[in-house]
Amino acid sequence: MKYADSIAAALPSAKVDALLCVHAEGLPGLNVRYLSGFTGSSAAVLIGSRHRVLFTDGRYQDQVVSECMDWEARITRAGESFPDVISEHCRQRGLGRVGYEPEGITAGMLSALIGAGGVN
């Protein structure tokens, strides 16, 4: 959690409300693991000034509980997409400007996040 706290402290100087790191199957995801401790193969972490959220799917529900106790977990349901769920979360929390890790996000996911209003 201490690394996530360091990121949260740096958000204002980066002029963003939160940082998004994504680990999708086939993409590098070391920072998701480094920041949260989550070892599954599909997840995203969103770090804001006052909250830490790990997004993943139902395959990892028990794993999230055991590995990421200090994180709010958002388990996607069948038919939900990461971009839609993350975007909705950002809107609910008033996160207008979200930075992201370019190596861990596909162009398609970035386009979906922008289209859903989750990343500016």
Side-chain angles (χ1 to χ4, degrees):
M1 186 75 150
K2 66 181 176 177
Y3 304 112
D5 291 340
S6 296
I7 288 173
L11 294 173
S13 65
K15 296 183 171 84
V16 295
D17 298 319
L19 175 69
L20 175 68
C21 296
V22 178
H23 178 201
E25 294 177 28
L27 293 173
L30 295 176
N31 286 333
V32 169
R33 185 176 184 174
Y34 182 74
L35 293 168
S36 68
F38 182 71
T39 62
S41 64
S42 181
V45 294
L46 185 68
I47 300 169
S49 61
R50 285 174 258 162
H51 69 284
R52 317 289 183 268
V53 184
L54 186 136
F55 301 87
T56 193
D57 62 66
R59 296 176 292 171
Y60 303 107
Q61 189 162 357
D62 293 336
Q63 187 174 344
V64 169
V65 171
S66 66
E67 292 180 350
C68 307
M69 293 176 283
D70 294 335
W71 288 72
E72 176 184 341
R74 173 58 168 88
I75 307 297
T76 59
R77 296 181 295 268
E80 290 183 319
S81 72
F82 266 14
D84 289 343
V85 171
I86 293 167
S87 295
E88 178 62 25
H89 180 87
C90 290
R91 283 191 298 275
Q92 289 175 349
R93 298 280 175 109
L95 303 175
R97 189 164 167 87
V98 177
Y100 60 90
E101 179 183 36
E103 294 82 13
I105 194 167
T106 65
M109 184 174 199
L110 181 58
S111 177
L113 285 163
I114 292 169
V119 173
N120 294 327

